[in-house]
Amino acid sequence: MKKILVILLSLMANLSFAQREEKPNVIYIYADDLGYGDLSCYGATRIKTPNLDKLAASGIRFTDGHCTSATCTPSRYALMTGEYPWRKKGTGILPGDAALIVPTDRTTLPNLFKKAGYQTGIVGKWHLGLGEAVAKDWNNEIKPGPNEVGFGYSFIFPATADRVPTVFLENHNVVALDPKDPISVNYVEKVGDEPTGKEHPELLKLQSSPGQGHNNTIVNGIGRIGYMSGGKLAHWVDEEVSSTFLIKAKDFIQKNQKEPFFLYFALTEPHVPRMPATMFRGKSGLGLRGDAILQLDWTVGEIVKQLKEAGLDKNTMIIFSSDNGPVLDDGYEDEAVTKLNGHTPTGAFRGGKYSILEAGTRVPFIVSWPGKIKPQQVSAATVSQIDLLASFSALLGQPIPAGDAPDSENTIEVFLGQSKKGRSVLIEHANTLSIVKDGWKYIEPSNGPAYNKLVGIEMGSLKEAQLYNLKTDEAEKNNLAAKYPDKVKMLKDLLTTIKDKP
């Protein structure tokens, strides 16, 4: 009996260990407007990103990793829901006062982890709407929001750094709000008597680019999109936003280190307005955008350092990626263009943010789990952020109800480096749609502009069909649609079938 008891206890201990091992901590780090060519581990030579290079070396660096869309809100919606954003109206770039667009009654990435027994948290940029309507009272509890879609803890700013309201929210409330100075937000007409960038450009420490709308209410010497009054004590200081998010992320890790946790760490770099801390100013030689990338890299290094010091690194999976491709002039005259100095944010690809060409959605994509994933891997498998939901469902043994996450595929073996077979079909989304299969990319005809002069980006829009062989023409320079009409028809029909999927 004694021997049997010992064996049973040993089996139980091993099972318990196996269960813990299969429940890694997970940190998803999301950069904002970071391009495929912005990191030295992806070929950049004019800027060095040593911490992200080490992260890539500790696991897998994907060379065909994608967000779903060439702009931020739709990519974030797909990440949260496992659903292509073009299936749902209202998932375009949201104003700062938008209502919540993530459903509260369906499976989301955070509530999947929550159901699996994880502590869940978001720190950083949200940009998926808050509340049930555009009209909302910013001076009381604001919900539904991140907490209602599965995050047990949230510390966010509502939209983007260039949009009002320029305040932090912790769970449902604006941080440091003075009741005597209530906040009012409006995206239609001016509220209050705060100066605007259009009326008082002499007050700006960062001039707005003409025609891009970043000249409304001035906060911290920067014109924003939208109008805001009140909440002066609650206004963030742009140069301190990144460090504030880092402190909150580290606090979440420290408080939850004894149980499995999922942290969605949504950075703001290198999105505009680029206002890095003093310690990074002028260090990149590429202007404020380059300095912001250095700040991003340092931030990632601080998270990895904390995990190692706490002994959590071996059982923590870190996924790093970006919500869309790069843009230089996106609202402010910050020398991103004039101080590019030979740096190529898009790598070998054409396009960028807003574009249906490859640089719109092909982004850095790194997965590290030192206790599980072999280091020094480079994978050409096609992977997408939309597949994280189904993949973690498989890893954690947490089923997804029928009808939820309809476009998410289980590629967990690829994310763990155990398979080189990624997605067989990928749909890219910008002002139009494209579909990629077996290296062939078809772009739907579009009436949109071929080139966006305001941001200086090729949009990839043509009135006729486009077909590219990405295996031999990754820069999409040679349109083969006329040469291979059968392949155009096949891809067009496949795209139609996927679009019509209930």
Side-chain angles (χ1 to χ4, degrees), residues 264-341:
Y264 173 39
F265 190 20
L267 308 179
T268 187
E269 297 94 350
H271 194 283
V272 295
R274 296 152 185 150
M275 280 284 123
T278 303
M279 64 186 286
F280 301 104
R281 289 293 185 100
K283 297 298 175 62
S284 69
L286 302 179
L288 293 176
R289 185 177 184 274
D291 298 343
I293 292 173
L294 295 185
Q295 181 168 268
L296 178 156
D297 181 72
W298 177 82
T299 300
V300 173
E302 289 298 293
I303 292 294
V304 173
K305 184 191 300 183
Q306 180 188 13
L307 294 173
K308 288 181 178 179
E309 290 174 351
L312 299 173
D313 55 314
K314 293 294 190 292
N315 197 39
T316 298
M317 179 190 291
I318 298 178
I319 304 169
F320 176 88
S321 195
S322 178
D323 64 347
N324 51 248
V327 59
L328 298 178
D329 184 354
D330 203 26
Y332 300 97
E333 297 177 352
D334 61 2
E335 299 183 314
V337 176
T338 58
K339 289 189 175 181
L340 195 56
N341 292 335

Side-chain angles (χ1 to χ4, degrees), residues 36 41-42 60-66 349 358 361-366 377-383 474:
Y36 185 95
C41 57
Y42 277 88
I60 310 171
R61 179 174 64 84
F62 289 97
T63 59
D64 195 17
H66 291 259
F349 307 105
E358 276 299 283
T361 66
R362 193 181 299 216
V363 290
F365 205 124
I366 297 166
Q377 294 189 62
V378 178
S379 175
T382 302
V383 293
E474 61 185 6

Side-chain angles (χ1 to χ4, degrees), residues 215-229:
N215 60 355
N216 299 151
T217 300
I218 297 173
V219 180
N220 190 33
I222 300 170
R224 315 285 168 159
I225 297 175
Y227 300 99
M228 174 183 179
S229 67

Side-chain angles (χ1 to χ4, degrees), residues 336-478:
V337 176
T338 58
K339 289 189 175 181
L340 195 56
N341 292 335
H343 177 57
T344 52
T346 61
F349 307 105
R350 282 171 61 203
K353 184 178 182 179
Y354 311 112
S355 172
I356 196 63
L357 296 169
E358 276 299 283
T361 66
R362 193 181 299 216
V363 290
F365 205 124
I366 297 166
V367 182
S368 170
W369 182 4
K372 193 77 172 181
I373 296 174
K374 292 180 181 178
Q376 302 286 346
Q377 294 189 62
V378 178
S379 175
T382 302
V383 293
S384 174
Q385 296 162 13
I386 201 172
D387 294 329
L388 290 175
L389 223 167
S391 299
F392 280 113
S393 168
L395 180 67
L396 302 174
Q398 188 66 43
I400 298 173
D404 289 2
D407 300 303
S408 189
E409 296 180 8
N410 174 17
T411 54
I412 190 61
E413 290 186 353
V414 182
F415 290 134
L416 296 179
Q418 298 167 357
S419 171
K420 296 289 186 181
K421 187 178 180 181
R423 265 189 167 256
S424 59
V425 176
L426 175 74
I427 295 181
E428 300 172 341
H429 167 224
N431 55 314
T432 187
L433 296 178
S434 69
I435 185 168
V436 182
K437 180 175 173 58
D438 300 327
W440 289 92
K441 177 175 177 177
Y442 163 75
I443 302 177
E444 284 188 318
S446 169
N447 290 322
Y451 184 80
N452 186 323
K453 293 180 180 179
L454 285 177
V455 295
I457 289 175
E458 291 182 273
M459 301 299 287
S461 299
L462 291 178
K463 292 182 179 179
E464 63 267 19
Q466 296 175 73
L467 179 71
Y468 300 101
N469 184 347
L470 296 179
K471 293 180 179 179
T472 58
D473 179 24
E474 61 185 6
E476 299 167 278
K477 292 181 178 179
N478 187 17

Side-chain angles (χ1 to χ4, degrees), residues 133-143 172 174 177 182-183:
V134 169
K136 59 181 65 73
D137 182 1
W138 293 94
N139 307 290
N140 288 296
E141 281 196 334
I142 303 168
K143 59 184 181 180
H172 298 119
V174 172
L177 178 64
I183 293 173

